[in-house]
Amino acid sequence: MDVVQLLQRHAGQWSRATRHPLLLAVRDGGLAPAAFDTWLAQDYRFVDALLGFQARLLGRAPRHAQAVLAGGLVALVEELSWFERLAVERDIDLTATPRPATVGYGQLLNELDKAQFPLALTMLWAIERTYLDAWSFAAPGAAAYRAVVEHWTTPGFAAYVDALAVAATHTQPDQAAVDQNLPRVIDAEIAFWDMAWESP
Ligand code: HMH
């Protein structure tokens, strides 16, 4: 599976997820702190769900994909600590009720638990690649958000996303299943930005 080709097949939708108005506002500084805080509390929930998904994926991974998934799991645990530090700094309640977009994305992850490994891995790559591209679009970010943008655009994160792409390239997901599920992942990403942007 050539994952780069996938981006080209879904380019229009992909750009709505990676060039969202919220990201432009992160870049130019126009983003309301409340919208950012909503995103942060909800993304904390999402990362927690992603950690569970990825742990289960590691449990059924073929030998070649174990290291990248295990490394990613450790990074996600650290990610949760990073959110917790930021929440203290910004006085954000991380126990906020999950919004529909967050619940919906969690349900999609639960469905991917039942998908064949090649498809689930390819979707994990898409989840992370979307995020890398989105934050790269917002770079360097206005002063208030610069540290957050840097966090999501580090060379380490980019290398991880590349390593997921290599692992996905070594699997053979069913093309029809990819074409059916990739738009669902990208839609979930767009809905996640919309949620914070439209109703902070
Ligand atoms: C919504 N997508 C969303 N949040 C994230 N933290 C990532 C992807 C990357 O882990």
Side-chain angles (χ1 to χ4, degrees):
M1 162 76 42
D2 178 354
V3 291
V4 174
Q5 230 187 33
L6 283 180
L7 302 187
Q8 288 156 3
R9 286 161 73 103
H10 299 272
Q13 195 194 8
W14 196 279
S15 83
R16 287 206 302 286
T18 56
R19 292 160 180 261
H20 192 276
L22 185 146
L23 296 159
L24 266 183
V26 165
R27 188 160 77 185
D28 68 23
L31 184 66
F36 180 80
D37 291 351
T38 294
W39 165 80
L40 191 132
Q42 296 295 317
D43 210 48
Y44 180 69
R45 296 298 182 122
F46 172 79
V47 170
D48 190 47
L50 188 65
L51 176 66
F53 168 72
Q54 189 156 336
R56 293 184 293 272
L57 195 61
L58 174 59
R60 62 191 177 107
R63 184 75 189 92
H64 74 87
Q66 288 170 347
V68 65
L69 290 172
L73 271 182
V74 173
L76 285 176
V77 174
E78 283 165 8
E79 190 81 38
L80 290 174
S81 302
W82 178 81
F83 275 102
E84 286 155 8
R85 286 195 301 275
L86 214 55
V88 170
E89 271 172 36
R90 300 182 67 91
D91 199 19
I92 298 165
D93 178 13
L94 286 179
T95 64
T97 309
R99 300 258 189 111
T102 313
V103 174
Y105 210 158
Q107 283 166 350
L108 177 54
L109 292 179
N110 288 342
E111 273 185 55
L112 289 172
D113 273 339
K114 291 176 224 113
Q116 291 194 335
F117 180 84
L119 176 68
L121 175 66
T122 304
M123 294 306 104
L124 174 63
W125 162 78
I127 290 167
E128 299 292 13
R129 174 65 195 256
T130 309
Y131 234 50
L132 175 65
D133 284 10
W135 288 105
S136 300
F137 175 69
Y145 301 116
R146 187 150 300 175
V148 174
V149 174
E150 276 172 8
H151 174 88
W152 289 107
T153 52
T154 59
F157 182 47
Y160 170 58
V161 174
D162 279 348
L164 282 176
V166 169
T169 303
H170 285 104
T171 65
Q172 250 78 50
D174 177 61
Q175 185 66 56
V178 170
D179 280 330
Q180 192 196 339
N181 283 280
L182 185 62
R184 300 176 70 204
V185 167
I186 308 175
D187 270 347
E189 289 288 332
I190 296 168
F192 212 87
W193 297 124
D194 282 348
M195 164 219 357
W197 180 245
E198 288 164 7
S199 37

